[in-house]
Amino acid sequence: MSAAEEVAEEVAEIIAEEVEAVEEEVEMSVLDALKEVLKKALIHDGLKKGLHECAKALDRRSARLCCLAKDCENEEYKKLIRALCAEGEVSVIMVDAGKDLGAWCGLAKLDEEGNVKKAVRTSCAVITDFGEETRALTVLLDYLQKQADEE
């Protein structure tokens, strides 16, 4: 095999890897997008966690997006958050588990590999500042726009 053929083969492999990476980026789920947006908001100090902080942010009308856990037992808690969101016209995303929401908000202890070892449950999280414009934010906002159009 000549040097030119080897170089051509290496270039073909690199292009194939880049195409696979682009295909993975295209298929970002809403949940993955939400995780990334929550992390960016946490970095930029735009994330409020828990009933007290979330209620204050929603009451001040500084909230842009609200995440509420489906497994919250307290109905009054959910009713209050939904009412404040409706009053301020803030979109609500329902998350399956409060432990997952807590881990995504940074309320978790991690082991050496970066896996969640212990997570604190939170039933509500509000984003007041998305931070930087990312692809995940675009995916999430498109999803919210589709939800709003359906209603």
Side-chain angles (χ1 to χ4, degrees):
M1 190 179 275
S2 70
E5 289 175 336
E6 287 179 20
V7 170
E9 191 173 302
E10 287 178 24
V11 169
E13 288 176 12
I14 292 171
I15 291 173
E17 289 173 9
E18 288 177 2
V19 168
E20 288 175 11
V22 169
E23 286 175 358
E24 287 176 11
E25 286 180 16
V26 171
E27 297 176 19
M28 177 181 268
S29 72
V30 176
L31 218 52
D32 292 336
L34 179 62
K35 288 180 201 176
E36 193 172 319
V37 168
L38 285 170
K39 284 185 179 148
K40 290 288 183 191
L42 181 63
I43 291 168
H44 290 277
D45 200 33
L47 184 63
K48 308 296 179 203
K49 307 165 285 277
L51 179 64
H52 188 92
E53 288 182 21
C54 292
K56 284 197 309 190
L58 288 165
D59 201 31
R60 288 185 189 136
R61 306 224 192 271
S62 61
R64 313 260 312 267
L65 175 68
C66 180
C67 300
L68 188 61
K70 289 180 184 174
D71 66 349
C72 176
E73 302 98 27
N74 195 340
E75 286 302 317
E76 286 121 17
Y77 186 110
K78 290 197 267 190
K79 193 181 281 188
L80 172 67
I81 295 297
R82 284 195 183 116
L84 288 171
C85 287
E87 186 180 310
E89 297 176 1
V90 176
S91 300
V92 179
I93 292 184
M94 297 301 289
V95 178
D96 290 329
K99 283 222 183 248
D100 292 341
L101 184 58
W104 301 339
C105 292
L107 299 173
K109 290 187 177 181
L110 305 175
D111 60 9
E112 294 83 30
E113 290 87 42
N115 299 323
V116 176
K117 187 167 67 172
K118 182 180 179 186
V120 176
R121 196 182 83 178
T122 184
S123 294
C124 184
V126 169
I127 296 175
T128 56
D129 179 19
F130 287 119
E132 54 198 55
E133 192 77 26
T134 60
R135 204 171 120 327
L137 179 59
T138 308
V139 168
L140 192 60
L141 293 176
D142 288 345
Y143 170 75
L144 292 172
Q145 187 64 43
K146 287 177 189 172
Q147 293 295 324
D149 290 345
E150 288 176 5
E151 292 175 357

